[in-house]
Amino acid sequence: MSSHDAVTDAANQAGPGTDSATVPASGTVPGTDPGDKRRWIALAIVMTAAFMDLVDATIVNIAIPSIERDLGASIGAIQWITAGYALAFAAGLITGGRLGDIYGRKRLFLLGTAGFTLASALCGLAANQEMLIGSRLLQARRPR
């Protein structure tokens, strides 16, 4: 049976007045699969993690005057604090994806989230600009 025949059969089973484009060839209604809800939850969790990366960058940019004043950070150190995160993040992106393929995406995601949280605490506890730069680089290098 061709895929066209399967769609036509599904449309005939759906009855008159039913849009055949909304009935898949399998005859099931989209959105009723129990795994479908889990996918939406997973999407929400991943989007929240991506949002946290943006919030982190915004917080650092807002805190730059305080970092300069309290830690005596130079312009070069400020550049490393902001751009170093992006550099380390980009460098670890492909490696983290491959590690997720090998060890499991969920495991790596949870490990990465815990690493991000611990590195964020280190950033908050930084006593000098060098510790802050190192903590920011560590924060970006967690597995994804």
Side-chain angles (χ1 to χ4, degrees):
M1 171 183 280
S2 72
S3 61
H4 175 71
D5 293 337
V7 171
T8 304
D9 288 344
N12 290 337
Q13 290 173 1
T18 304
D19 183 12
S20 63
T22 60
V23 179
S26 65
T28 61
V29 179
T32 60
D33 180 22
D36 205 31
K37 183 178 180 183
R38 291 180 62 208
R39 287 184 178 147
W40 283 107
I41 292 169
L43 176 65
I45 291 169
V46 169
M47 293 302 293
T48 301
F51 175 73
M52 291 308 296
D53 269 337
L54 293 174
V55 169
D56 178 65
T58 303
I59 289 170
V60 169
N61 283 321
I62 291 171
I64 286 174
S66 297
I67 293 169
E68 287 175 326
R69 183 180 59 248
D70 296 343
L71 299 179
S74 65
I75 298 297
I78 295 297
Q79 288 176 338
W80 270 108
I81 290 166
T82 54
Y85 178 87
L87 178 67
F89 183 87
L93 199 57
I94 294 175
T95 306
R98 182 65 181 134
L99 288 173
D101 290 341
I102 294 170
Y103 296 108
R105 291 177 184 93
K106 182 178 179 180
R107 179 182 296 166
L108 263 288
F109 180 79
L110 293 174
L111 181 66
T113 303
F116 181 84
T117 304
L118 290 173
S120 295
L122 285 174
C123 288
L125 298 171
N128 54 38
Q129 63 186 3
E130 292 82 12
M131 184 177 173
L132 182 56
I133 292 169
S135 299
R136 287 287 289 167
L137 294 174
L138 181 66
Q139 190 180 36
R141 285 299 302 203
R142 82 244 186 252
R144 287 150 196 70

